[in-house]
Amino acid sequence: MTMRFLAVPQLTLRRLNAVFSAGSVRRFGRMRLVQFCHKVAEGIVRVGVEQDEGQGIVDLKAFDPSMPSTMREFLELGPKGMDCAKRALSSGQNVLPRSDIRLLSPVTNPEKVVCVGMNYKDHCLEQNAPIPKEPIIFSKFPCSITGPNDDIILPDESQEVDWEVELAFVIGRKGKHIKEEEALSYIAGFTVANDVSARDWQMKRNGKQWLLGKTFDTFCPLGPALVTTDSLKDVHKLGIRCFVNGATVQESNTNQMIFQTEKVVAWVSQFVTLYPGDVFLTGTPPGVGVFRNPPVFLKKGDVVECQIDEIGSIRNTVV
């Protein structure tokens, strides 16, 4: 009898090899990590683990006083920190009700905020733009980061502030020249972002360089949690959507990404060393305000909600 073998795509083989090769991948476990502060002590930052989406928060420092107070420091601990978080979650101790805490961005002081432009096929189609052959990389300053429920501040300098729901991820360990097939092992987890953009500064001013239009204070809401990679069935098959005042303005799926997360990590790590806490925004689907007819921009009082399946929602009021 002749045996037949199914052909398996090379990237799939490389991913499987990365999963099963001893020592090549360090998985972080199924968790929803958060950064928060107590409402009665606003200046004190803590790292915690959600018991479940929207449920109580386990305070890691209360469970183990040796744990650091910020997510970036926590990620720098590597497996030691993750193992402590798993034990804390399993213990059922040191649980704080949601009513007692205020969620912060999962990471508040990253070294980098790396962004990918034009990374959804359907977003390219809505503006009649060609599909990029290489990732288009730009950045936001870390001071643009704000929390999942914090206000977006309209700057006096712009009259064309727009929304962009995006899948974001956070680097979990240091790396340079990372191989695509090993890239997922460098990602601590995924979260929801809004790449708020001042289109006048992005498209008309500053020599049409994107940086200033992307990096006003509060222009990078993140949250609600850092969902570890193992907690997601397939990060490239997630529904992604944005609502403004309850109306759906963006709705797509992460399967529309041109350059998936592994490719983005490998590409960027050619140029710079990646460190724990570095934040990546992976691009937005169609439905942004600037390409509507007529264009629509955010105004004071608007409420923007960005949502990704299996990760959660962020909800920010424009002030």
Side-chain angles (χ1 to χ4, degrees):
M1 182 175 68
T2 302
M3 296 183 68
R4 291 188 173 185
F5 296 90
L6 294 173
V8 181
Q10 286 299 309
L11 182 56
T12 301
L13 288 172
R14 292 200 300 270
R15 284 174 178 160
L16 288 171
N17 184 57
V19 170
F20 293 110
S21 294
S24 65
V25 170
R26 290 143 72 182
R27 310 304 279 178
F28 290 110
R30 297 172 182 267
M31 286 183 290
R32 297 178 59 88
L33 300 165
V34 297
Q35 201 170 228
F36 68 94
C37 63
H38 295 267
K39 286 184 177 177
V40 295
E42 278 283 325
I44 300 175
V45 178
R46 288 286 186 268
V47 178
V49 190
E50 280 188 334
Q51 289 186 311
D52 203 349
E53 184 177 354
Q55 301 301 309
I57 305 294
V58 180
D59 185 339
L60 291 190
K61 199 165 186 66
F63 175 79
D64 181 347
S66 72
M67 284 293 103
S69 296
T70 70
M71 186 69 75
R72 181 173 170 180
E73 293 172 308
F74 171 79
L75 294 176
E76 287 170 350
L77 292 177
K80 176 184 175 183
M82 292 293 179
D83 289 344
C84 179
K86 287 184 226 175
R87 293 197 308 274
L89 184 61
S90 299
S91 76
Q93 301 172 3
N94 307 113
V95 179
L96 299 169
R98 295 296 281 249
S99 57
D100 288 357
I101 63 103
R102 182 171 72 88
L103 280 182
L104 307 174
S105 164
V107 179
T108 45
N109 61 339
E111 181 182 274
K112 308 178 197 66
V113 180
V114 180
C115 307
V116 188
M118 309 281 291
N119 197 32
Y120 275 68
K121 298 168 193 171
D122 44 9
H123 182 48
C124 292
L125 290 173
E126 79 168 336
Q127 53 189 298
N128 296 314
I131 303 295
K133 293 185 171 17
E134 295 175 340
I136 298 171
I137 303 299
F138 63 98
S139 65
K140 297 169 90 80
F141 291 141
C143 58
S144 65
I145 290 176
T146 193
N149 302 301
D150 294 341
D151 292 338
I152 297 168
I153 299 172
L154 282 182
D156 293 336
E157 293 79 8
S158 176
Q159 306 304 313
E160 298 182 359
V161 176
D162 203 351
W163 57 82
E164 289 192 11
V165 60
E166 306 207 6
L167 173 71
F169 63 84
V170 178
I171 295 297
R173 61 188 178 110
K174 180 180 176 181
K176 182 77 187 289
H177 295 295
I178 297 167
K179 295 178 181 177
E180 191 172 339
E181 60 267 25
E182 296 177 359
L184 278 180
S185 73
Y186 287 82
I187 297 174
F190 293 82
T191 192
V192 182
N194 185 352
D195 179 15
V196 183
S197 305
R199 300 301 187 189
D200 37 9
W201 283 92
Q202 178 190 0
M203 297 178 169
K204 303 169 190 173
R205 303 186 64 178
N206 195 42
K208 298 185 180 179
Q209 295 287 324
W210 291 4
L211 176 63
L212 289 183
K214 294 283 189 175
T215 205
F216 283 95
D217 291 347
T218 74
F219 270 28
C220 190
L222 285 177
L226 184 62
V227 181
T228 55
T229 307
D230 288 351
S231 302
L232 302 172
K233 294 174 186 174
D234 186 344
V235 74
H236 299 117
K237 289 184 180 177
L238 298 176
I240 179 170
R241 57 197 69 85
C242 177
F243 308 91
V244 176
N245 301 325
T248 304
V249 291
Q250 291 182 277
E251 186 163 18
S252 186
N253 193 288
T254 57
N255 64 15
Q256 288 290 306
M257 271 190 205
I258 299 162
F259 304 106
Q260 296 186 338
T261 53
E262 299 96 326
K263 175 67 176 178
V264 171
V265 170
W267 178 262
V268 174
S269 71
Q270 296 177 98
F271 306 96
V272 295
T273 302
L274 304 184
Y275 290 96
D278 285 351
V279 175
F280 280 68
L281 276 60
T282 61
T284 198
V288 294
V290 70
F291 296 126
R292 292 173 176 266
N293 188 15
V296 177
F297 298 110
L298 294 173
K299 61 186 183 304
K300 289 180 182 179
D302 285 346
V303 177
V304 185
E305 182 175 356
C306 296
Q307 182 184 95
I308 301 178
D309 292 348
E310 300 182 37
I311 298 177
S313 298
I314 59 177
R315 191 174 186 270
N316 306 92
T317 300
V318 180
V319 300

